[in-house]
Amino acid sequence: MQEWANQLCENRQFGSKMTDSKYFTTTKKGEIFELKAELNSDKKEKKKEAVKKVIASMTVGKDVSALFPDVVNCMQTDNLELKKLVYLYLMNYAKSQPDMAIMAVNTFVKDCEDPNPLIRALAVRTMGCIRVDKITEYLCEPLRKCLKDEDPYVRKTAAVCVAKLHDINAQLVEDQGFLDTLKDLISDSNPMVVANAVAALSEIAESHPNSNLLDLNPQTINKLLTALNECTEWGQIFILDCLANYTPRDDRESQSICERVTPRLSHANSAVVLSAVKVLMKFMEMLPKDLDYYGTLLKKLAPPLVTLLSAEPELQYVALRNINLIVQRRPEIMKHEMKVFFVKYNDPIYVKLEKLDIMIRLASQANIAQVLAELKEYATEVDVDFVRKAVRAIGRCAIKVEQSAERCVSTLLDLIQTKVNYVVQEAIVVIKDIFRKYPNKYESVIATLCENLDSLDEPEARAAMIWIVGEYAERIDNADELLESFLEGFHDESTQVQLQLLTAIVKLFLKKPTETQELVQQVLSLATQDSDNPDLRDRGYIYWRLLSTDPVAAKEVVLAEKPLISEETDLIEPTLLEELICHIGTLASVYHKPPSAFVEGSRGVQHKRLPCSAGSGESVDSPETSSTAGVSDAPPAVIPSQGDLLGDLLNLDLTPTTTGPPPPAVSTGMQLGAMDLLGGGLDSLPPVPLRTDTPQSPQIPNQSPSPTDYSTSELGGDLGGNPAIGAGFGAAPAAMPASFGAPGSGGLDDLFDLGSGVGMPMGAYSPPKSVWLQAMKAKGLEISGTFARRAGVIQMEMTLTNKAMSVMTDFAIQFNRNSFGLSPAGPLQVLTPLSPNQSIEVALPLNTSGPVMKMDPLNNLQVAVKNNIDVFYFSCQYPISMLFVEDGKMERQIFLATWKDIPNENESQFQIKDCHLSSDAVSNKLQGSNIFTIAKRTVDGQDMLYLSVKLTNGIWVLAELRIQAGNPNYTISLKCRAPEVSQCVFQSYEAVLKN
Amino acid sequence: MSASAIFVLDLKGKVLICRNYKGDVDMAEIDHFIPLLMQQEEEGMICPVITRGTVHFMWIKHSNLYLVATTNKNSNASLVYSFLYKLVEVFTEYFKELEEESIQDNFVVVYELLDELMDFGFPQTTDSKILQEYITQEGTKLEVAKTKVPTTVTNAVSWRSEGIKYKKNEVFIDVIESINVLVNANGSVMSSDIVGSIKLKTMLSGMPELRLGLNDRVLFSLTGRDKGKTVMMEDVKFHQCVRLSRFDSDRTISFIPPDGESELMSYRINTHVKPLIWIESVIEKFSHSRVEIMVKAKGQFKKQSVANNVEIRVPVPSDADSPKFKTSTGSAKYVPEKDLVLWTIKSFPGGKEFLMRAHFGLPSVEKDELEGKPPITVKFEIPYFTVSGIQVRYMKIIEKSGYQALPWVRYITQSGDYQLRTNA
């Protein structure tokens, strides 16, 4: 056998002198003409040579379509090689010559009945590739026969052909019943046929999410698992990828599938391993953590993942991107594997950068010394991007592992001494973050930093340095000189630096007012008068106004204590992470983006979700099970990036007629399960922890989302956090420059409205309108709005303003799935076209019968609005009080029983500050918003109100409100079976009482 | 699911051959590939996936070719890369070398193979031994007997055909262990592991059932036997032919082998091994005048064993000149195109220590650009020995005709990725 193969190769070598390359040599004149003659030659050999020449011309990109009839004439041959070449030609040119392609049909049909299975398969395979409508009609009969062919080689080819045909004409495939035949093939005796049938079905299901093709049940799963052991490596991947879409009924089924999938981890093909990892990672969610098997499985995952790092570099890259996800979801798997991520000199840059990323994720007190030594080594390499990332990594280690901070800082100082320009700049950027994490600890290094001021030429580094100078102005003797030096070229700086410089100088002024008055005036006038940048101007005006009205308040605002930055700033948002885990091995997992963000036409495709952990379905009252995250107990807040929100919204099915909620496009059991759970009243939310620091206003994060964002969010955070300022501002709103109303900061709008918009009528509290969609982001369409509950109907009240130059028409609206199933009860009624500079008020009634998906924050609503120009997306948050229904008054007895019944873990306590109402007034005010007083007790001069609220989806929230005479601070305790909603409900209480 | 089309390009981006599998990506998109790649290269940010609009290019490079898959779906990326490497493997087995010339010289077979290897983006039969049974270059006359599909293609045993005959039935087993080491500049071992591979050359008739016994620690503890040295394999990967579920349940390695040469399994062992050849280096750079290099190599393995063809590569600055060497054994030479000194020692007995000194001149004008710090790398081969102590305890061969077959075992240990950082 070996000899035979060698001989074969030698023959080829020998023959290489007269190889196919000769066909590429061109004859100069009348080439097509000559070929035509040769194609019609009587001699078979000449014919074949001629076809080869045609294919050679085709390969080098010459147009040989003119020879179509002549080539097709060669189709009827008993020479397999020639036949294949003609078929190849047909695939390439049939589309351009559909009428002529019909000529080939007869031969195809005949070949589909050839005694040789190779020919039958070849014919059906090729016919499927000829994307000509007219041919597809003729394809049906041969395909039907081939699907039932006795030879598995033909059947497996026919199975794929169904997917091809479906791609060309889906209706035809359905009408002809091919889908059912395809489903039957899952039970075929031949593993390869099963694998291809699975592949074809998955492909069809992916493009038609509603087709409910892959109704996987335990029986089919069993068949797939059996075929898994016997089919080729590729077939194993198809089957594993298909299995990953299944949601087992319970943990036992989940375990038994895992047991049968784990052997695949020993397959030599990396893609088989990754697909197996995907199935295991997903099904593991359902296993109870105390199960022995769960621990065993965790241990089994690490070795194959590590081995992937000895694969080819591209596969390593895919593996590393996926390990990055796995480490975030289940850090315990890789926690002892730090060493394998150490960078090798000859690793390609993309592997180096990914390894670095994972090293930081795995950094812990136990291994930090080793990691730092490595990072320092990398920081002296030559590849600029790699070096930068290494320096940044040192900073991240400092923030992540507190014990190492000092070591990190000294390492960074060493690196600054190298004076390598980009190393210095990168180091300063990360040191700024370290200062924010550990204030007043490492300021001794400021002097060293200041020495390098002149070498900073990157905006981020300049901004960081300016921030440091401003923040620690009182300790830097020449802070004013330093900042002044930046001011000279103010207008040449980037916005980032300008904003930072403005803030830093104001800080300096507040700290050392006597010496720096001139400087602050200079910067304020630069920002407000000489700048075209609205952000800069607005910030300038605010400072100006603040400083001139109430310097004490200014100090409180500008020099307020900053929230500490969180440890991990670049974690993937949990819901996205869950989705990506379901896509392990695919491009989505490489990009760390949901497929909807980069695959066109994937609207309506359901986002994949991990199944709920075991037990959460049964023990609804147990907050342990429903609030325990897979990753850690207290996950840091992660603000989803804009891109992710968009990704979600892009899935909206935007048809102009939005008379009802979009049809719940449920295709798999898994998603059905998730919806049921939610529909059942949030009690069994997927185990994603709620953020505890949910911002009150959508645009104002209480916590700076990432250290690099400080320049834009800091201001908003400071303002929003201090209600006193709002009052101060409200006194003179009219004096504000017009540009204040301009887009740029929703936080500001809220502030002003607090002062002016007092006179709300009785009835349910409705927050003032705020800008949801800014004109500059929506081609001139501005939408501001609010929510209200009027006579039992939830309304979305919007002001649409046309700030563009042309008329807007054809408005339509659609919501993404949301926590309470809010959806428009009718179409958006904008009857007249909206002319430029015109505004229109619209009230859109909503119902709560739409599809449900848990949002974060819970009351987040993602909206798409369409007009004749484009589709725009925004997200807003509705006060949860909109969902308090009119019959929310609980019977006293039931109240008592329920209160006792709900476990104490579900109780949350909040404070409502500065509220000067009597308990009766409170009771009245709350009743207006469907918060009902069940009973009132007075103990020791303290009034206790017992209140109940019922949400549209049937969740009851009980409350005890304690009001001490003369104390403006109330204490409220909320109890609910779904404690996730407590935070939102509290916010509503507060909003209602304070307005 | 995977690829929409597959392209083979030359280094300039000219399409040598391509195959459109799904028709959902414009074939002209490939024209953007090379410009995008060039741009990435310029920015120093190359990446195996390139995106342009809704089209994604996944690519690998092999000799003077790019193999590129396009898609506009959320494809299984690991499958695509595995498949592209499989293409290289199949083409190489068909044409010996895969390069621009061999594609042009064999375009008819390449087309045939592309048609057989993948259908509508789904990889199909990719075992080149089986493919060679029905896709041949002598596609002359269509004899019904010859060109029927080998049943192997769709069989559960898709890697071995029936009816193979040998006069003498033999199996050659090669156990090859590669040592990967990363040593810090201050001499501490940062990471080390052993990647082992068991390769077969099977010359057996019929459809033989084989069982391989190793001194696998997990197996021994399962069966309660505990005699002699056992080896703890961290992770094991098997050829398609090995029954994975059987191994998973009772650690039995049982299989019907592919004919001829194949890699049966590979394994990884984490146990900390002493670097078999230890290097100490002092590289002193006197700016504007000279570099002095002293390298000491020590064989840290049994005295009876000998490392063959030892190559120690020591990096030198790219602007170094006038080399001078002194070695206690072997020979040293300067390889200017790779900026290194290559010290070769034909035979290096265990326990021995050798020394090499090198002296280079440096120009008085210094170069502007920074240079990387490449590590010292070492290559060697030690026959008749495995570092891990792994042993083939038996190879049982059962075929229904009942012939007697002989297994031959050979052991070898070699360097893998063997890097020692320097402080230069």
Side-chain angles (χ1 to χ4, degrees):
Chain A
M1 210 44 206
Q2 189 60 36
E3 280 163 30
W4 171 79
N6 283 338
Q7 213 171 14
L8 196 74
C9 290
E10 269 161 33
N11 282 346
R12 270 178 206 138
Q13 282 270 306
F14 174 68
S16 69
K17 277 168 202 129
M18 35 176 291
T19 54
D20 297 351
S21 58
K22 67 174 183 287
Y23 300 112
F24 290 98
T25 53
T26 48
T27 47
K28 280 154 252 160
K29 259 187 217 166
E31 197 187 352
I32 297 281
F33 182 78
E34 266 174 41
L35 281 173
K36 207 177 178 85
E38 285 172 38
L39 284 168
N40 291 310
S41 158
D42 297 333
K43 288 184 194 137
K44 279 185 184 168
E45 206 43 42
K46 197 151 195 184
K47 240 184 194 174
K48 194 168 112 186
E49 294 295 294
V51 174
K52 280 194 186 174
K53 279 184 203 162
V54 172
I55 299 291
S57 302
M58 184 183 96
T59 305
V60 294
K62 282 186 205 155
D63 182 14
V64 282
S65 60
L67 296 166
F68 201 92
D70 310 281
V71 176
V72 171
N73 273 337
C74 303
M75 197 171 167
Q76 284 205 25
T77 168
D78 55 356
N79 185 313
L80 188 58
E81 193 187 1
L82 180 55
K83 197 180 267 295
K84 282 184 181 172
L85 290 175
V86 176
Y87 277 8
L88 187 67
Y89 179 90
L90 272 170
M91 278 190 267
N92 260 308
Y93 289 111
K95 217 167 177 193
S96 58
Q97 314 241 356
D99 294 326
M100 303 245 259
I102 297 288
M103 288 164 48
V105 162
N106 271 335
T107 318
F108 272 125
V109 174
K110 216 176 105 204
D111 281 353
C112 284
E113 304 199 353
D114 195 278
N116 186 337
L118 210 53
I119 304 231
R120 295 203 294 277
L122 181 65
V124 81
R125 183 164 66 213
T126 311
M127 273 183 99
C129 293
I130 297 179
R131 303 171 65 87
V132 173
D133 266 338
K134 283 181 191 159
I135 286 212
T136 53
E137 294 167 30
Y138 298 97
L139 181 55
C140 292
E141 279 323 299
L143 177 57
R144 194 185 317 283
K145 273 186 207 145
C146 289
L147 280 167
K148 305 235 156 106
D149 199 284
E150 53 171 21
D151 193 301
Y153 181 77
V154 181
R155 290 204 301 279
K156 72 131 188 159
T157 311
V160 175
C161 189
V162 176
K164 293 180 190 169
L165 189 56
H166 192 273
D167 196 35
I168 307 167
N169 190 342
Q171 196 56 46
L172 185 72
V173 169
E174 276 163 45
D175 295 346
Q176 295 278 335
F178 285 143
L179 292 180
D180 294 322
T181 322
L182 201 53
K183 279 191 222 168
D184 293 342
L185 288 183
I186 290 188
S187 315
D188 198 281
S189 58
N190 186 293
M192 186 104 172
V193 178
V194 178
N196 271 4
V198 168
L201 281 170
S202 307
E203 176 86 16
I204 296 172
E206 200 175 304
S207 52
H208 293 71
N210 302 331
S211 53
N212 204 17
L213 267 176
L214 282 162
D215 52 340
L216 298 172
N217 54 50
Q219 287 75 40
T220 46
I221 292 295
N222 197 37
K223 280 176 198 154
L224 293 184
L225 288 168
T226 310
L228 187 60
N229 288 324
E230 296 181 335
C231 60
T232 66
E233 48 203 308
W234 314 110
Q236 297 185 16
I237 300 170
F238 308 153
I239 293 181
L240 288 168
D241 284 355
C242 174
L243 275 178
N245 288 324
Y246 177 65
T247 302
R249 287 160 307 172
D250 51 30
D251 49 326
R252 235 183 277 151
E253 190 189 7
S254 186
Q255 179 176 343
S256 89
I257 296 175
C258 286
E259 280 168 355
R260 293 175 71 179
V261 167
T262 32
R264 297 300 122 197
L265 294 176
S266 301
H267 201 288
N269 187 325
S270 306
V272 176
V273 175
L274 263 185
S275 286
V277 168
K278 165 164 55 191
V279 175
L280 296 173
M281 280 296 288
K282 199 180 151 188
F283 289 11
M284 224 168 153
E285 295 289 326
M286 294 186 65
L287 300 177
K289 296 219 165 33
D290 47 358
L291 195 70
D292 285 345
Y293 180 72
Y294 176 83
T296 317
L297 194 53
L298 273 186
K299 283 201 199 95
K300 279 191 174 174
L301 278 170
L305 286 172
V306 172
T307 305
L308 288 176
L309 299 185
S310 23
E312 290 82 3
E314 293 82 4
L315 282 160
Q316 274 188 53
Y317 174 70
V318 176
L320 285 164
R321 294 292 284 171
N322 279 285
I323 290 173
N324 200 327
L325 298 172
I326 292 167
V327 165
Q328 290 183 58
R329 183 75 196 164
R330 300 203 176 273
E332 61 272 33
I333 294 177
M334 303 298 280
K335 70 174 175 218
H336 300 302
E337 305 290 349
M338 174 60 91
K339 285 184 174 184
V340 301
F341 298 104
F342 287 169
V343 171
K344 301 245 175 79
Y345 182 75
N346 44 344
D347 283 333
I349 180 71
Y350 51 83
V351 167
K352 283 185 177 170
L353 294 174
E354 290 309 314
K355 281 187 171 173
L356 203 49
D357 229 24
I358 296 174
M359 279 174 68
I360 305 162
R361 293 213 192 280
L362 294 178
S364 68
Q365 207 187 332
N367 57 26
I368 193 74
Q370 234 182 356
V371 173
L372 268 182
E374 277 295 294
L375 292 177
K376 200 174 171 185
E377 180 84 31
Y378 305 160
T380 57
E381 277 287 344
V382 280
D383 192 312
V384 178
D385 292 296
F386 182 57
V387 170
R388 281 175 183 275
K389 197 153 179 176
V391 176
R392 247 171 224 239
I394 297 173
R396 276 167 68 184
C397 285
I399 288 162
K400 195 171 170 199
V401 185
E402 182 159 5
Q403 296 82 353
S404 77
E406 197 159 342
R407 232 160 54 264
C408 295
V409 171
S410 79
T411 307
L412 287 169
L413 284 180
D414 287 351
L415 289 172
I416 287 177
Q417 299 307 339
T418 64
K419 301 281 175 193
V420 178
N421 183 281
Y422 52 86
V423 172
V424 173
Q425 310 212 42
E426 215 56 51
I428 285 178
V429 172
V430 296
I431 286 180
K432 177 255 315 171
D433 289 345
I434 296 177
F435 281 175
R436 284 209 58 190
K437 172 77 179 180
Y438 311 108
N440 307 317
K441 228 173 152 186
Y442 298 110
E443 282 68 36
S444 53
V445 308
I446 290 175
T448 319
L449 302 185
C450 290
E451 287 166 20
N452 292 284
L453 211 60
D454 298 333
S455 64
L456 310 179
D457 52 15
E458 292 163 20
E460 200 181 356
R462 289 173 81 85
M465 194 62 221
I466 293 169
W467 182 87
I468 292 172
V469 174
E471 190 66 15
Y472 297 100
E474 68 273 32
R475 310 189 192 187
I476 306 172
D477 292 336
N478 59 343
D480 48 344
E481 285 169 33
L482 293 175
L483 292 175
E484 198 172 359
S485 69
F486 281 102
L487 210 53
E488 282 159 20
F490 188 78
H491 289 297
D492 301 327
E493 299 284 0
S494 71
T495 309
Q496 186 184 15
V497 177
Q498 288 175 335
L499 286 168
Q500 207 47 59
L501 196 51
L502 171 61
T503 304
I505 291 179
V506 172
K507 280 182 191 165
L508 172 70
F509 170 71
L510 289 166
K511 287 174 180 177
K512 301 178 177 172
T514 43
E515 311 127 61
T516 56
Q517 196 148 8
E518 202 175 314
L519 193 60
V520 80
Q521 272 175 355
Q522 201 183 338
V523 76
L524 284 174
S525 81
L526 278 171
T528 53
Q529 285 159 28
D530 304 334
S531 169
D532 294 331
N533 183 322
D535 283 347
L536 185 64
R537 238 172 22 219
D538 287 0
R539 193 185 282 199
Y541 276 125
I542 291 180
Y543 282 142
W544 201 323
R545 191 52 56 177
L546 259 176
L547 293 172
S548 55
T549 334
D550 189 349
V552 180
K555 213 161 184 165
E556 264 181 69
V557 173
V558 180
L559 303 181
E561 211 165 282
K562 268 148 224 74
L564 296 182
I565 57 171
S566 66
E567 277 181 17
E568 296 258 8
T569 48
D570 57 347
L571 284 178
I572 295 173
E573 191 247 337
T575 44
L576 176 62
L577 180 63
E578 283 192 29
E579 186 178 0
L580 293 179
I581 291 284
C582 299
H583 289 292
I584 282 177
T586 68
L587 279 178
S589 73
V590 174
Y591 292 140
H592 291 183
K593 283 181 192 163
S596 52
F598 62 89
V599 178
E600 223 174 35
S602 64
R603 60 183 202 181
V605 172
Q606 297 272 323
H607 285 220
K608 295 190 177 178
R609 290 274 175 270
L610 291 176
C612 290
S613 71
S616 67
E618 299 131 47
S619 49
V620 275
D621 289 336
S622 154
E624 286 92 355
T625 47
S626 56
S627 67
T628 313
V631 189
S632 64
D633 291 323
V638 182
I639 313 288
S641 68
Q642 193 62 25
D644 304 331
L645 283 176
L646 280 178
D648 271 319
L649 280 161
L650 284 170
N651 276 341
L652 288 182
D653 186 17
L654 267 173
T655 43
T657 49
T658 48
T659 42
V666 178
S667 64
T668 68
M670 182 193 96
Q671 282 131 1
L672 252 182
M675 289 192 57
D676 281 355
L677 287 172
L678 287 163
L682 286 177
D683 293 24
S684 40
L685 286 168
V688 182
L690 271 177
R691 281 201 257 147
T692 45
D693 56 346
T694 311
Q696 314 261 325
S697 150
Q699 289 91 349
I700 305 180
N702 277 345
Q703 185 167 353
S704 171
S706 87
T708 47
D709 270 7
Y710 67 97
S711 58
T712 46
S713 63
E714 185 189 325
L715 176 69
D718 290 347
L719 283 173
N722 197 334
I725 308 299
F729 261 132
M736 299 314 290
S739 64
F740 262 92
S745 148
L748 289 175
D749 293 303
D750 279 358
L751 282 177
F752 300 131
D753 282 333
L754 280 181
S756 56
V758 190
M760 286 307 291
M762 279 304 283
Y765 159 70
S766 165
K769 278 186 182 170
S770 57
V771 177
W772 286 340
L773 182 67
Q774 296 167 4
M776 56 190 280
K777 286 184 181 164
K779 303 188 180 168
L781 175 65
E782 185 185 276
I783 300 182
S784 58
T786 182
F787 293 87
R789 189 178 182 95
R790 301 197 197 281
V793 179
I794 308 168
Q795 292 202 330
M796 185 167 175
E797 299 177 346
M798 288 175 286
T799 308
L800 311 182
T801 309
N802 182 351
K803 293 193 171 173
M805 306 297 286
S806 57
V807 176
M808 293 178 180
T809 56
D810 301 333
F811 285 93
I813 194 164
Q814 185 114 40
F815 296 173
N816 197 2
R817 292 185 292 161
N818 54 72
S819 310
F820 294 93
L822 280 176
S823 72
L828 187 63
Q829 301 279 354
V830 185
L831 298 174
T832 49
L834 193 56
S835 317
N837 283 325
Q838 198 191 354
S839 287
I840 189 167
E841 307 278 333
V842 199
L844 179 73
L846 309 180
N847 61 35
T848 52
S849 54
V852 175
M853 177 175 76
K854 196 195 156 200
M855 301 299 292
D856 190 15
L858 215 51
N859 57 340
N860 198 27
L861 181 66
Q862 298 176 341
V863 183
V865 166
K866 185 189 109 40
N867 62 13
N868 56 328
I869 296 165
D870 204 346
V871 183
F872 310 105
Y873 304 96
F874 61 87
S875 65
C876 53
Q877 288 171 26
Y878 47 88
I880 210 165
S881 56
M882 298 302 110
L883 304 169
F884 297 169
V885 295
E886 280 66 25
D887 63 342
K889 185 160 187 172
M890 206 178 231
E891 289 288 322
R892 287 182 75 138
Q893 293 305 318
I894 301 176
F895 185 94
L896 268 175
T898 317
W899 184 270
K900 279 186 196 152
D901 199 36
I902 298 176
N904 286 334
E905 298 91 85
N906 284 17
E907 181 171 338
S908 17
Q909 223 176 57
F910 303 93
Q911 288 253 318
I912 298 175
K913 289 189 174 154
D914 290 319
C915 199
H916 300 274
L917 295 168
S918 71
S919 59
D920 287 336
V922 165
S923 201
N924 276 336
K925 209 162 183 180
L926 290 176
Q927 180 129 12
S929 290
N930 291 341
I931 304 173
F932 298 97
T933 309
I934 311 297
K936 181 183 158 186
R937 278 201 303 164
T938 310
V939 180
D940 301 333
Q942 184 173 257
D943 287 336
M944 324 257 262
L945 293 178
Y946 294 91
L947 306 148
S948 78
V949 151
K950 186 181 163 191
L951 299 181
T952 45
N953 60 353
I955 293 184
W956 287 88
V957 185
L958 312 186
E960 181 193 67
L961 183 65
R962 270 172 287 175
I963 303 172
Q964 185 97 42
N967 185 346
N969 299 342
Y970 305 163
T971 309
I972 183 161
S973 303
L974 292 173
K975 262 186 157 188
C976 177
R977 289 191 197 278
E980 295 88 338
V981 301
S982 298
Q983 175 75 27
C984 279
V985 170
F986 158 68
Q987 285 164 16
S988 286
Y989 267 89
E990 197 177 35
V992 171
L993 286 176
K994 290 196 171 171
N995 287 284
Chain B
M1 186 177 224
S2 77
S4 174
I6 301 275
F7 298 84
V8 180
L9 309 181
D10 70 4
L11 290 183
K12 289 188 198 117
K14 194 179 86 186
V15 178
L16 296 176
I17 208 159
C18 62
R19 174 65 202 259
N20 188 356
Y21 288 106
K22 298 189 67 180
D24 54 357
V25 176
D26 185 355
M27 294 297 275
E29 285 285 338
I30 195 68
D31 298 341
H32 300 291
F33 172 71
I34 289 287
L36 287 168
L37 185 66
M38 292 301 163
Q39 193 187 333
Q40 283 196 345
E41 249 166 34
E42 240 161 64
E43 290 162 4
M45 295 299 279
I46 55 160
C47 180
V49 204
I50 299 180
T51 312
R52 181 180 181 274
T54 56
V55 180
H56 312 275
F57 302 96
M58 287 176 260
W59 62 278
I60 64 170
K61 193 177 170 189
H62 181 85
S63 65
N64 55 359
L65 300 174
Y66 290 108
L67 283 83
V68 189
T70 55
T71 181
N72 58 5
K73 295 269 155 55
N74 180 28
S75 298
N76 186 328
S78 52
L79 178 145
V80 172
Y81 292 116
S82 291
F83 180 76
L84 291 178
Y85 276 103
K86 199 60 151 189
L87 270 187
V88 172
E89 195 183 312
V90 171
F91 288 161
T92 311
E93 290 198 29
Y94 261 83
F95 317 129
K96 277 207 163 155
E97 297 276 332
L98 172 58
E99 53 191 11
E100 198 176 329
E101 294 72 30
S102 56
I103 293 280
Q104 271 171 352
D105 290 351
N106 300 284
F107 77 96
V108 175
V109 184
V110 174
Y111 273 129
E112 273 190 61
L113 284 172
L114 286 174
D115 196 39
E116 197 63 40
L117 288 166
M118 185 176 255
D119 193 7
F120 202 53
F122 307 126
Q124 301 290 311
T125 311
T126 53
D127 193 306
S128 62
K129 286 202 191 69
I130 305 304
L131 286 165
Q132 281 176 357
E133 288 182 27
Y134 67 110
I135 295 182
T136 58
Q137 281 180 315
E138 307 85 68
T140 46
K141 264 291 234 184
L142 201 154
E143 299 159 47
V144 179
K146 198 187 160 201
T147 46
K148 70 171 199 250
V149 201
T151 47
T152 328
V153 174
T154 50
N155 259 355
V157 182
S158 61
W159 54 89
R160 184 185 180 90
S161 294
E162 293 187 29
I164 296 170
K165 279 213 170 61
Y166 285 96
K167 274 187 209 140
K168 196 175 174 193
N169 290 297
E170 291 175 306
V171 192
F172 298 92
I173 307 166
D174 279 348
V175 181
I176 302 161
E177 290 195 337
S178 305
I179 320 252
N180 300 324
V181 185
L182 179 62
V183 181
N184 212 344
N186 58 25
S188 55
V189 179
M190 302 303 291
S191 67
S192 76
D193 61 4
I194 304 166
V195 175
S197 156
I198 299 187
K199 294 188 171 158
L200 298 184
K201 185 171 175 188
T202 314
M203 300 163 82
L204 297 169
S205 314
M207 288 299 243
E209 268 285 343
L210 271 60
R211 232 167 70 209
L212 175 70
L214 299 172
N215 54 341
D216 168 16
R217 185 169 304 162
V218 181
L219 174 70
F220 277 43
S221 62
L222 267 177
T223 52
R225 275 181 300 174
D226 191 21
K227 296 197 179 81
K229 189 175 168 0
T230 56
V231 172
M232 181 69 203
M233 293 183 283
E234 183 76 8
D235 188 35
V236 193
K237 290 280 176 283
F238 290 108
H239 184 273
Q240 174 80 15
C241 68
V242 176
R243 297 181 182 93
L244 296 183
S245 32
R246 181 94 193 266
F247 179 77
D248 196 58
S249 65
D250 61 7
R251 299 288 279 195
T252 305
I253 303 170
S254 77
F255 55 99
I256 297 172
D259 189 49
E261 289 178 35
S262 59
E263 183 178 53
L264 177 71
M265 63 180 279
S266 63
Y267 54 87
R268 192 165 49 76
I269 297 173
N270 265 357
T271 44
H272 204 94
V273 283
K274 222 197 275 177
L276 296 181
I277 291 188
W278 182 249
I279 302 285
E280 277 171 39
S281 67
V282 181
I283 302 179
E284 278 181 295
K285 199 169 160 182
F286 303 91
S287 285
H288 318 299
S289 73
R290 64 189 197 280
V291 186
E292 281 174 10
I293 299 170
M294 197 276 292
V295 176
K296 193 164 77 181
K298 192 180 175 197
Q300 306 194 108
F301 46 93
K302 277 183 292 185
K303 284 208 171 67
Q304 308 91 293
S305 293
V306 174
N308 294 331
N309 305 320
V310 179
E311 293 185 358
I312 299 163
R313 290 155 202 267
V314 186
V316 292
S318 61
D319 50 359
D321 55 42
S322 43
K324 278 178 228 152
F325 306 108
K326 210 156 129 197
T327 56
S328 62
T329 193
S331 66
K333 73 171 183 198
Y334 176 42
V335 190
E337 64 273 20
K338 288 184 177 154
D339 298 325
L340 52 82
V341 177
L342 177 62
W343 179 20
T344 22
I345 303 163
K346 277 276 164 267
S347 138
F348 195 138
K352 283 277 179 338
E353 208 177 280
F354 299 116
L355 211 68
M356 190 267 293
R357 284 176 191 280
H359 180 286
F360 285 89
L362 284 179
S364 50
V365 187
E366 213 168 333
K367 283 202 311 181
D368 284 346
E369 68 217 68
L370 270 162
E371 277 185 25
K373 294 199 299 179
I376 295 178
T377 56
V378 185
K379 274 193 184 168
F380 58 85
E381 243 179 47
I382 308 173
Y384 318 116
F385 158 80
T386 55
V387 224
S388 68
I390 203 156
Q391 278 175 347
V392 173
R393 300 191 65 251
Y394 59 82
M395 171 73 100
K396 287 189 180 144
I397 302 161
I398 302 161
E399 216 276 335
K400 57 175 185 267
S401 65
Y403 58 73
Q404 288 294 310
L406 287 174
W408 304 96
V409 189
R410 198 162 56 159
Y411 298 99
I412 199 165
T413 290
Q414 62 185 28
S415 56
D417 198 349
Y418 204 103
Q419 302 189 357
L420 303 102
R421 292 181 187 152
T422 67
N423 45 18

